[in-house]
Amino acid sequence: ADIALYAAKNGGRGQFRFYSADLKDESEERALLMDDLREALANDKLELHYQPVVRADDNLVVSFEGLMRWEHPERGYVSPGLFIPIAEESNLIIQLGDWALRRACKEAAEWPKTVRVAVNVSALQFASPGFPETVTEALAATGLEPDRLELELTESVFMGDSETVDE
């Protein structure tokens, strides 16, 4: 029943699923991918690729958005569309997000002072009580000026408990 429930949730709103062996295989595959993702994070096998943000007026690069990438040793590049939802289900997304934040700050500190860096923040990471401290520590450890860091929040951040979001 749990496997069918998660399959329905992953299918989107208004979905239902009946249990089948295919779902079990998918669940096992997701568990294997999760284990591999944990290992990749522990062994620093993730990468940030940067997408430039260009000002339309003069075509000047004003910032770069850090995008997490993972090259699996057997599967090749794994789509973020696959591994990010798996990480969100297990709260590994907080550790992944913290890693991305620290890495982006470290690398951006070496860039020209006029260029900013943007990092995506998941709803779970944003709601984590230690998130403000994590941001502060990443900035302090790397020497990146706070005004050069952009935190990109998805709409789902604002759909939770409004008091927690405000805080």
Side-chain angles (χ1 to χ4, degrees):
D2 238 12
I3 292 172
L5 172 68
Y6 282 109
K9 283 183 176 181
N10 289 332
R13 297 181 71 99
Q15 298 283 319
F16 67 91
R17 296 286 188 273
F18 293 104
Y19 175 79
S20 70
D22 290 345
L23 290 180
K24 184 176 185 237
D25 293 344
E26 183 181 319
S27 177
E28 289 172 354
E29 182 67 20
R30 290 173 76 79
L32 288 172
L33 204 57
M34 173 57 67
D35 290 343
D36 290 348
L37 184 56
R38 277 192 176 96
E39 185 177 322
L41 179 61
N43 294 316
D44 200 28
K45 298 295 184 187
L46 299 170
E47 304 170 359
L48 279 184
H49 291 196
Y50 294 96
Q51 177 175 299
V53 176
V54 179
R55 189 169 50 211
D57 292 346
D58 55 8
N59 295 325
L60 184 70
V61 173
V62 294
S63 70
F64 287 94
E65 178 181 5
L67 304 170
M68 191 174 302
R69 297 294 181 255
W70 175 30
E71 186 175 7
H72 190 279
E74 296 164 7
R75 300 172 190 251
Y77 278 102
V78 179
S79 167
L82 179 61
F83 74 81
I84 295 295
I86 291 172
E88 287 174 338
E89 289 173 12
S90 70
N91 289 338
L92 184 61
I93 194 69
I94 295 172
Q95 292 169 283
L96 287 176
D98 290 353
W99 173 88
L101 177 66
R102 287 190 303 271
R103 175 64 58 94
C105 287
K106 178 182 177 187
E107 292 177 359
E110 303 297 319
W111 301 346
K113 302 277 186 221
T114 58
V115 179
R116 300 165 54 100
V117 66
V119 179
N120 293 307
V121 177
S122 77
L124 289 172
Q125 184 183 14
F126 184 74
S128 171
F131 181 64
E133 186 176 323
T134 300
V135 173
T136 303
E137 288 173 0
L139 291 169
T142 60
L144 184 71
E145 297 86 355
D147 64 341
R148 291 185 56 211
L149 174 64
E150 296 177 18
L151 301 176
E152 294 197 0
L153 309 173
T154 62
E155 297 81 14
S156 62
V157 165
F158 302 103
M159 294 181 179
D161 175 16
S162 61
E163 288 183 34
T164 304
V165 171
D166 289 347
E167 186 179 322

